[in-house]
């Protein structure tokens, strides 16, 4: 009613918003989920930007798992081009892709059920988060998986497992912050 913005990120460039995502600011997650890509939401709607990000995240997940499988099964690798020089079984790639998709679905379902039962136990029906908002939040907060793909270029192969664990911890902390940002109690 006062005519001013209540979301300060409306006036910011996208680069500033991305930097605040890296710094784990709840308001940046809220802005991207609820305000940045606002279209008419009828039923289960997820903006096309999130579908593209999900495809990139699944590709990064499959490539990192294949790289770790190749690294753990051999002597030290001299370059990151081992995935392209040797043929891997196509079934391994498809299997890892299905495991990544299944993990995403299980993670989303578990978080939604935990939120649903928490509201039922505490008798709060009015602030149930929509499933599409939860899916967009998990996709957005998993952007840290892309860091592993970028850092494979600069990191020596001996440190890849440590880097993999560090990026997964970053993703878990990012999901925790973003979920706490959209679940308003």
């Amino acid at each position: 009613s006062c005519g001013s913005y209540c979301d300060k990120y409306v006036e910011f460039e996208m680069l500033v918003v991305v930097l605040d995502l890296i710094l784990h600011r709840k308001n940046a997650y809220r802005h991207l989920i609820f305000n940045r890509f606002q279209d008419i939401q009828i039923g289960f709607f997820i903006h096309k930007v999130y579908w593209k990000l999900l495809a990139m995240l699944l590709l990064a997940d499959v490539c990192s798992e294949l790289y770790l499988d190749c690294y753990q099964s051999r002597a030290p690798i001299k370059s990151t081009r081992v995935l392209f020089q040797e043929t891997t079984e196509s079934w391994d790639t498809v299997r890892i892709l299905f495991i990544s998709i299944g993990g995403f679905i299980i993670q989303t379902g578990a978080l939604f059920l935990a939120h649903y039962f928490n509201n039922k136990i505490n008798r709060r029906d009015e602030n149930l988060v929509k499933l599409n908002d939860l899916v967009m939040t998990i996709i957005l907060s998993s952007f840290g998986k892309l860091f592993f793909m970028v850092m494979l270029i600069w990191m020596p192969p001996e440190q890849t497992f440590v880097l993999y664990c560090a990026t997964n911890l970053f993703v878990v902390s990012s999901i925790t912050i973003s979920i706490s940002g959209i679940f308003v109690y």
Side-chain angles (χ1 to χ4, degrees), residues 89-185:
E89 295 291 327
S90 61
W91 174 246
D92 288 340
T93 306
V94 172
R95 178 183 55 85
I96 291 174
L97 178 65
F98 281 127
I99 288 171
S100 297
I101 292 171
F104 176 77
I105 291 170
I106 289 171
Q107 180 183 26
T108 305
L111 286 172
F112 188 75
L113 287 176
H115 177 61
Y116 176 78
F117 286 124
N118 184 30
N119 281 344
K120 287 297 180 184
I121 290 170
N122 296 326
R123 293 189 172 97
R124 288 182 282 197
D125 292 329
E126 67 274 357
N127 56 358
L128 190 65
V129 172
K130 294 185 288 186
L131 183 61
N132 60 339
D133 291 338
L134 182 66
V135 170
M136 288 189 295
T137 302
I138 292 173
I139 292 171
L140 180 65
S141 58
S142 298
F143 72 94
K145 291 181 181 182
L146 298 175
F147 292 152
F148 183 75
M149 295 303 298
V150 172
M151 291 184 176
L152 277 178
I153 299 169
W154 293 293
M155 298 295 284
E158 297 82 28
Q159 296 176 354
T160 54
F161 185 72
V162 174
L163 176 65
Y164 181 73
C165 292
T167 54
N168 280 336
L169 285 174
F170 180 80
V171 168
V172 167
S173 67
S174 180
I175 289 173
T176 304
I177 295 296
S178 65
I179 293 294
S180 69
I182 68 163
F183 290 160
V184 180
Y185 291 111

Side-chain angles (χ1 to χ4, degrees), residues 67 71 74-82 85 152-153 155-158:
Y67 183 81
Y71 179 70
R74 292 183 180 77
I77 298 173
K78 301 211 178 352
S79 76
T80 58
R81 288 181 270 173
V82 72
Q85 290 175 352
L152 277 178
I153 299 169
M155 298 295 284
E158 297 82 28

